[in-house]
Amino acid sequence: MDTIDFFVFDEVTPALARDLAERLRARPSAPVTVRVNSYGGDLAAGLAMLNALRAHRGAVRVEIEGIAASAATLLCCAGTVAMAGNAALMVHAPW
């Protein structure tokens, strides 16, 4: 089965969240790889993306290829995560 490759290489927006949800709904059991290089964006859109990935029946892999910051860090909670050796993760007030 072909993997769904989904790129989050810009701002996290409601349109991006909808695109992800539609792609996952079209192939409910396919494995998915989410490739991230984003400074974040809309929190509600990030939560929608997280929930869509958690509800997906296929395997979920998240690869941080540059930076995952702010709302983009939510995607790291959706499945198996791998980070490039020089990638960065930024969480607001992590205490």
Side-chain angles (χ1 to χ4, degrees), residues 6-61:
F6 192 82
F7 291 83
V8 181
F9 270 38
D10 204 347
E11 185 176 356
V12 175
T13 64
L16 186 68
R18 182 182 179 128
D19 184 28
L20 176 63
E22 288 173 348
R23 290 190 58 193
L24 295 176
R25 192 172 300 119
R27 297 180 54 206
S29 297
V32 60
T33 299
V34 180
R35 300 180 187 283
V36 181
N37 183 31
S38 173
Y39 285 101
D42 186 281
L43 175 61
L47 288 169
M49 294 172 76
L50 170 62
N51 292 331
L53 289 164
R54 283 183 171 171
H56 187 64
R57 290 188 303 233
V60 176
R61 179 173 173 83

Side-chain angles (χ1 to χ4, degrees), residues 74-87:
L74 294 170
L75 302 172
C76 297
C77 301
T80 302
V81 178
M83 291 180 67
N86 59 351

